[in-house]
Amino acid sequence: LVNLGVRVETMTPQPGLPDLVFTANAGLVFHNRFLSSRFRHEVRAKESPHFDAWFGANGFTVEHLPENTFHEGAGDALFCGDT
């Protein structure tokens, strides 16, 4: 993709977080807002602070859902046109 002119961002691997590679599940992006995932399972929930830090450091406003409201990023929602 880089050879096609696509800018590729990466996450630094973290010990004990084998699913961190599934970055589409990090949350939902809308313009400069990032709605952080609230994962149901603990092993995935430990990823959220890493994603939040990355998005915050890269100019996004990081937002969170209320506790006990689960959302797992692109696994649960995607934008399509105006929808």
Side-chain angles (χ1 to χ4, degrees), residues 25-44:
N25 299 128
L28 190 60
V29 174
F30 184 72
H31 299 290
N32 68 335
R33 295 168 59 193
F34 173 67
L35 177 61
S36 183
S37 287
R38 187 173 297 280
F39 294 103
R40 181 178 303 272
H41 300 286
E42 184 178 351
V43 69
R44 296 295 317 262

Side-chain angles (χ1 to χ4, degrees), residues 26-28 34-38 48-49 51-52 62-65 71 73:
L28 190 60
F34 173 67
L35 177 61
S36 183
S37 287
R38 187 173 297 280
S48 291
F51 289 127
D52 293 353
V62 178
E63 300 182 21
H64 297 94
L65 292 171
H71 177 265

